[in-house]
Amino acid sequence: MREAVLTATAYFVCASIALQLTRFDGGVAIMWLAGALLFAKLCATPRRRWLQITLACVPAGLLASFLFGFRGPVAIPLPLICIAEAHAAAWLVRRCFPRFGRFESVPEVARFLIIAGLIVPATTAFLGALCAHVARDIPYWSAWRDWYAGHALGLVAFGPPLLFTLRGETRQWIASAGNRKRGEATGLLLLVALASLLTFGQNRIPLVLIPFLPMVAATLRLGRFGAVSSIVVLLAIGLPCSLAGSGPTTLLHVSMTLKLQVLQIYFASIVLILLPLAAELRARRRLLDRLHAVEALHRLVLDRTSDIIMRLGYDGTLRYASPATERVLGYRPEELTGKVMFHLVSPDDLPSVLDARRRALANPDETAIVEYRVSCKDGGVVWVESHMRATIDDDGRVMGTVSIVREVTGRRKLMEDLAHQAMTDPLTGIYNRRIFDEALPALLASIPADGVLGCLAVFDLDHFKRINDLHGHAAGDVVLIHFVEILRSSVRDGDLVARLGGEEFAVVLGGMEAVQARVVCERVRIRLEEAAIPYAGDTLRATVSVGIASLVPGQSCEEALRTADTALYSAKQAGRNQSAQAA
C-alpha cells in the first residue's frame, strides 16, 4: 500500500508540474513526465501489484486535472486516458519482451521504441485530441499532434532513466564497481554536466552537439550505466534551463509550445542513439565473454582429445594442428605448421584424399569423410579417418578446410581380419563356400576372350571318415591342411581354391580347357597319393578322387556343380583315387 501511495503522490506532482508549466494557450501539455513515471514503475514491479498502483494513480490524476488541467466533463476521461496509456505501454512491452527493463539488446530497445514511442501514444492521441477539441474547441489534428509529441517523447526520453533508477541498476552498478571505475564514472559524468551547462546555460551559441561527445564516451566506457546516467544529467540540467528561458531553444523564433517539442525531440534523439549503442555494446561484451569461455573450453578439449584437429588453408598448407599430432604421427604441431600436408599421405591413397578435399571445398555445408594411410616421423604408417569440412569467411568465401583426424589402424586391422575370416575357411585358410558361391556365377556370366571359360574341379578325400575314426579328428585336420598345401602348390595363383565343406574342395581353373585341367588334377592326385603325412610319430596316407566339368557361358552355378559332382561320383564308383571328366 505504501508503494502505491508513493507512486500516486509522485504521479500527482509530475502531472501538476506538466499541466502548470507546459500547457500553453490552454491546450494539452507539451511535456508529460507523469506517464513515463507510471510506465517505469509498472515495468519495475511484479504484475500482481499493477492494479493496486494503477488504481492509486487514478485519484491523483483526477485531482491534478481538476486543479490545473481542463475543467468540465473532460476533466475525468483525460487523466484516465493518460493512466491507461502508461498501463498499456507497460503491458505491451512486457508481453513482447518478458524480461524488459535491462536494455541489454537492440531488439529490446527497438520494441520499446515502437510500442512506447509510436503505437500507444499515437492511439491514445485520438481520444485525447477529441477531449481537447470538445473542451476548448482546439483544432483536432493540432491537439492530436501536441498530445502525441508530448506523450511519445516523454515516454521515450524519461522512461528508460526512470526505469533504470527504479530497478536499482544504478545502485547495483556503484556497489559492484571498483574505486577506479567509480572514479572514471564520476569524471565522465562531470564532463557531461559541464557540457550540458555550457550548452543550456547560455543562449547565444547553439552548442547542441557538445554534450553528445562526453555522453558517447560515458556509454562506451560505462555501458548502460553511463548511457542512462548521462541522460539523467542532461535532463536535470537542460530541462530547467530551457523552462527558465535559457539554452539553444531560445534562439528559435517560434512559440514556446514548439520550443519544448523541439527540446523533447533533442532529448529523445539522444536516447535513441545512446540506448541502442549501450545495448549493442552490452551484447557484444557478452558475446566476447562467451567467445573467451568457448575458446578456453576448446583449448582444453583440443589439448585433451586423442583426435587430431587440423586447419588447412585453401592451398593445403597447415595453419593449425592440435597437440594430438605428436602422439599419433610423432610430429610436433610447430614442425608441420606452414607446410603442405599431402606429402605425408600414402601415394596410393592421395587421389581419394584430394577428391574428398575438392568435394568439401565445393560443398561447404557438407562433410567429406575419407580413410587413408599417413607416414609417421619414425617411418611407420598408420591408418586415419578424416572428417573434412570447408571453412568460410564473413563474405561466404571458402578459405580452406578443417579436419578431425582419428587414428583407425586398430579398427582397420580388425575389419580386415573380420573380412578375411568371413571369406576363408578357418582350418585351411582357403576361401569358404560363400566366396565360391559368389565367384562361380560371376565367372559363368562373363564372356571369355578366347572362347574358353575354364573348368571346375571338385575334390573329395577318399575314406576320410576312416582316418578320423582310426586316428582322431586332429589327424583328419592335419590331412586336410596337407592336402590344401598340395592343392595350392599345384594350381596357378589366380585359380580359385575353396573348401565346400568337410573333406570336399573345389578349384575353378579359369581359361583352361578340359585336357589341361585333367593334367593339373592328376598332378594333385598323384602328389597326395605319394605323400607321407607325419602325425604323432606315425605316418598318415590319403588319396583323393576328382570330378572335372567344363564351364559353359550362361550356365548356372548349380548346373556346373551338379556336372562336376556327377564326374566325381563316377570316379568314386570306378574305385576312387582317380579323376573323371564329365562327358
Side-chain angles (χ1 to χ4, degrees), residues 38-322:
L38 180 56
F39 167 80
K41 181 60 180 176
L42 293 177
C43 289
T45 305
R47 285 191 182 181
R48 62 179 181 274
R49 300 206 296 268
W50 280 23
L51 181 61
Q52 185 183 38
I53 294 173
T54 303
L55 292 177
C57 289
V58 171
L62 291 172
L63 181 59
S65 180
F66 277 115
L67 292 176
F68 309 109
F70 291 105
R71 290 179 174 83
V74 298
I76 295 177
L78 275 175
L80 295 180
I81 294 171
C82 294
I83 293 172
E85 177 186 73
H87 190 100
W91 184 85
L92 281 174
V93 294
R94 288 287 293 272
R95 181 77 175 178
C96 296
F97 206 95
R99 298 189 61 200
F100 173 78
R102 300 181 182 274
F103 298 103
E104 292 181 332
S105 65
V106 174
E108 179 183 6
V109 174
R111 291 171 189 175
F112 161 69
L113 295 176
I114 292 173
I115 293 172
L118 181 62
I119 297 176
V120 173
T123 303
T124 57
F126 289 106
L127 299 175
L130 179 62
C131 292
H133 177 70
V134 172
R136 296 293 301 273
D137 198 27
I138 300 173
Y140 179 82
W141 290 110
S142 176
W144 185 94
R145 179 199 62 205
D146 292 343
W147 178 289
Y148 171 72
H151 287 241
L153 295 174
L155 285 171
V156 170
F158 300 105
L162 288 170
L163 178 56
F164 197 78
T165 303
L166 291 173
R167 286 177 60 92
E169 299 281 349
T170 303
R171 187 170 58 255
Q172 292 176 12
W173 188 92
I174 295 174
S176 62
N179 292 331
R180 181 177 178 181
K181 201 69 176 178
R182 285 196 290 266
E184 182 182 10
T186 302
L188 288 171
L189 294 179
L190 283 175
L191 287 176
V192 174
L194 290 173
S196 301
L197 287 172
L198 182 62
T199 301
F200 292 94
Q202 50 85 30
N203 51 14
R204 287 174 296 179
I205 305 174
L207 303 175
V208 291
L209 291 179
I210 296 299
F212 183 70
L213 299 178
M215 294 178 78
V216 170
T219 302
L220 293 175
R221 296 295 302 165
L222 308 176
R224 292 177 303 154
F225 173 80
V228 176
S229 298
S230 58
I231 292 172
V232 171
V233 171
L234 179 68
L235 293 174
I237 295 175
L239 185 57
C241 290
S242 297
L243 292 175
S246 179
T249 56
T250 59
L251 300 176
L252 299 174
H253 301 292
V254 293
S255 65
M256 191 61 182
T257 298
L258 191 56
K259 289 181 180 179
L260 288 180
Q261 287 178 346
V262 170
L263 180 65
Q264 287 190 93
I265 291 173
Y266 172 72
F267 289 152
S269 299
I270 296 292
V271 173
L272 290 175
I273 293 173
L274 294 187
L275 282 186
L277 177 61
E280 181 65 22
L281 289 173
R282 175 75 174 178
R284 294 196 176 196
R285 189 172 293 113
R286 289 201 310 269
L287 178 60
L288 187 61
D289 292 341
R290 285 199 297 267
L291 287 176
H292 286 159
V294 169
E295 182 182 9
L297 178 61
H298 283 181
R299 181 66 60 183
L300 177 63
V301 171
L302 292 176
D303 290 344
R304 299 286 183 177
T305 184
S306 59
D307 295 341
I308 301 174
I309 311 298
M310 305 176 67
R311 183 166 60 85
L312 276 67
Y314 195 87
D315 58 354
T317 56
L318 181 68
R319 304 293 176 82
Y320 170 81
S322 64

Side-chain angles (χ1 to χ4, degrees), residues 384-458:
V384 296
E385 178 186 77
S386 177
H387 291 243
M388 198 180 308
R389 194 178 181 94
T391 57
I392 57 177
D393 60 10
D394 294 337
D395 297 326
R397 294 176 298 186
V398 176
M399 301 297 293
T401 56
V402 61
S403 304
I404 299 178
V405 182
R406 172 172 298 179
E407 183 186 359
V408 293
T409 304
R411 188 189 73 185
R412 188 81 183 194
K413 184 178 183 306
L414 177 61
M415 291 175 59
E416 291 175 354
D417 291 344
L418 291 174
H420 180 73
Q421 293 173 16
M423 296 170 58
T424 59
D425 173 55
L427 176 64
T428 61
I430 60 176
Y431 288 117
N432 57 22
R433 178 64 183 263
R434 185 173 69 87
I435 298 301
F436 174 81
D437 289 341
E438 292 177 0
L440 184 57
L443 178 62
L444 292 171
S446 63
I447 301 175
D450 55 0
V452 179
L453 196 57
C455 292
L456 170 63
V458 177

Side-chain angles (χ1 to χ4, degrees), residues 338-530:
K339 298 180 180 179
V340 177
M341 294 297 297
F342 301 131
H343 71 281
L344 297 179
V345 179
S346 169
D348 294 336
D349 301 329
L350 185 57
S352 60
V353 174
L354 295 177
D355 179 66
R357 192 165 193 270
R358 279 192 292 268
R359 285 188 280 113
L361 294 173
N363 302 281
D365 294 333
E366 298 181 5
T367 300
I369 303 174
V370 61
E371 287 191 10
Y372 54 94
R373 286 160 291 186
V374 180
S375 300
C376 300
K377 188 174 182 179
D378 60 4
V381 175
V382 295
W383 276 96
V384 296
E385 178 186 77
S386 177
H387 291 243
M388 198 180 308
R389 194 178 181 94
T391 57
I392 57 177
D393 60 10
D394 294 337
D395 297 326
R397 294 176 298 186
V398 176
M399 301 297 293
T401 56
V402 61
S403 304
I404 299 178
V405 182
R406 172 172 298 179
E407 183 186 359
V408 293
T409 304
R411 188 189 73 185
R412 188 81 183 194
K413 184 178 183 306
L414 177 61
M415 291 175 59
E416 291 175 354
D417 291 344
L418 291 174
H420 180 73
Q421 293 173 16
M423 296 170 58
T424 59
D425 173 55
L427 176 64
T428 61
I430 60 176
Y431 288 117
N432 57 22
R433 178 64 183 263
R434 185 173 69 87
I435 298 301
F436 174 81
D437 289 341
E438 292 177 0
L440 184 57
L443 178 62
L444 292 171
S446 63
I447 301 175
D450 55 0
V452 179
L453 196 57
C455 292
L456 170 63
V458 177
F459 296 82
D460 188 86
L461 294 179
D462 299 326
H463 304 296
F464 185 72
K465 185 176 181 302
R466 185 186 303 171
I467 297 175
N468 285 333
D469 293 342
L470 291 176
H471 303 282
H473 288 281
D477 291 345
V478 171
V479 171
L480 292 175
I481 294 172
H482 193 81
F483 170 71
V484 169
E485 292 175 356
I486 293 174
L487 190 57
R488 276 179 162 174
S489 63
S490 302
V491 299
R492 299 166 299 183
D493 291 338
D495 294 331
L496 176 66
V497 180
R499 184 181 181 185
L500 300 182
E503 66 275 19
E504 190 174 10
F505 300 84
V507 178
V508 178
L509 302 165
M512 189 176 291
E513 295 183 349
V515 176
Q516 297 171 304
R518 187 156 191 176
V519 171
V520 173
C521 293
E522 277 295 307
R523 182 164 60 240
V524 173
R525 184 189 65 79
I526 293 171
R527 286 183 179 179
L528 180 61
E529 181 184 16
E530 295 175 348

